[in-house]
């Protein structure tokens, strides 16, 4: 893959698993729902934006993540959840985001059903980490994250069930767990069309 337009074309040829307008309250009520934004930064060489969660948080402190969080009853959709959280955590205005679609939801170890929302972020860029939630913001070249050979995994048994944990390294930064599983899922989806 050589261009952002090629990525967009490949991504949009895949249908979302559920309608984009799905409201959180219409989903399975036994499970908590969350959404994350996969912010693709529109630069000559596009990047994917990540956050490092604050070390002061009760859960997943210090881990690498995408902007996102739990659905609020006021959110009109899971897209609205992802956009609201991105604005709260790293000051990406919802007006700057062109939503391309979503990936299949994944279950987190914390009991959430997490829906990844893929969106293009247009200039001007000025990301501001909310220190209550985010220690830092960084970018990784998009096409590097879409290279399947860059991923490794470890199969573990937890609560008598097999779980696969993905790992992805960029330079000296290790991305793992749900975040790595999400970008691995995106890379697989894009590769299917080759």
């Amino acid at each position: 893959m050589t261009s952002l337009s090629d990525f967009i074309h490949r991504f949009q040829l895949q249908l979302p698993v559920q309608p984009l307008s799905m409201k959180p309250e219409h989903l399975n009520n036994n499970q908590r729902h969350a959404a994350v934004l996969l912010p693709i930064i529109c630069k000559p060489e596009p990047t994917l934006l990540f956050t490092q969660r604050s070390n002061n948080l009760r859960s997943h402190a210090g881990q690498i993540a995408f902007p996102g969080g739990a659905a609020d009853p006021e959110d009109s959709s899971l897209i609205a959840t992802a956009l609201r959280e991105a604005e709260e955590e790293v000051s990406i205005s919802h007006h700057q985001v062109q939503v391309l679609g979503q990936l299949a939801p994944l279950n987190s170890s914390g009991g959430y059903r997490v829906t990844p929302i893929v969106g293009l972020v247009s200039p001007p860029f000025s990301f501001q980490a909310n220190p209550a939630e985010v220690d830092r913001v960084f970018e990784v070249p998009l096409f590097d994250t879409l290279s399947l050979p860059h991923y490794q995994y470890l199969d573990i048994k937890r609560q008598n069930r097999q779980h696969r944990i993905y790992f992805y390294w960029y330079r000296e930064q290790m991305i793992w767990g749900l975040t790595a599983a999400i970008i691995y899922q995106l890379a697989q989806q894009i590769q299917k069309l080759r």
Side-chain angles (χ1 to χ4, degrees):
M1 187 167 333
T2 58
S3 71
L4 186 55
S5 61
D6 186 28
F7 167 83
I8 293 167
H9 175 73
R10 287 173 183 266
F11 179 80
Q12 290 184 330
L13 283 176
Q14 301 290 322
L15 294 175
V17 172
Q18 63 190 26
L20 289 176
S21 62
M22 182 70 77
K23 293 185 178 184
E25 64 269 16
H26 293 155
L27 299 170
N28 179 353
N29 288 331
N30 321 5
Q31 195 166 35
R32 298 176 295 178
H33 294 274
V36 296
L37 180 66
L38 279 66
I40 298 171
I41 311 305
C42 296
K43 295 180 173 180
E45 292 197 24
T47 60
L48 196 52
L49 184 130
F50 293 89
T51 66
Q52 182 170 11
R53 292 171 54 86
S54 171
N55 284 316
N56 299 323
L57 294 174
R58 287 185 303 175
S59 65
H60 308 291
Q63 290 184 7
I64 303 303
F66 289 112
D72 283 349
E74 301 81 33
D75 293 337
S76 60
S77 68
L78 292 172
I79 291 172
T81 298
L83 295 176
R84 174 183 53 76
E85 288 283 344
E87 193 155 4
E88 289 174 8
E89 291 180 14
V90 292
S91 301
I92 296 175
S93 167
H94 66 278
H95 299 294
Q96 287 181 273
V97 181
Q98 175 192 347
V99 174
L100 294 180
Q102 67 188 50
L103 299 172
L106 297 170
N107 294 320
S108 76
S109 61
Y112 284 90
R113 186 137 178 95
V114 179
T115 300
I117 306 297
V118 179
L120 302 176
V121 180
S122 58
F125 309 117
S126 74
F127 309 117
Q128 185 68 40
N130 175 348
E133 298 186 55
V134 175
D135 276 349
R136 69 184 180 104
V137 177
F138 66 96
E139 298 172 47
V140 174
L142 174 65
F143 301 130
D144 193 81
T145 66
L146 298 178
S147 177
L148 289 172
H150 290 170
Y151 292 84
Q152 295 181 353
Y153 64 86
L154 176 66
D155 289 325
I156 63 166
K157 195 170 189 175
R158 184 173 56 209
Q159 298 174 344
N160 285 334
R161 293 181 61 201
Q162 283 295 118
H163 296 276
R164 179 162 284 179
I165 300 174
Y166 287 94
F167 298 87
Y168 164 79
W169 282 266
Y170 178 72
R171 297 193 176 156
E172 295 182 10
Q173 186 63 64
M174 182 177 68
I175 300 168
W176 65 282
L178 183 65
T179 303
I182 289 170
I183 53 177
Y184 183 81
Q185 179 185 25
L186 176 62
Q188 279 188 309
Q189 177 173 317
I190 297 301
Q191 301 303 319
K192 282 180 191 173
L193 296 172
R194 285 198 165 173

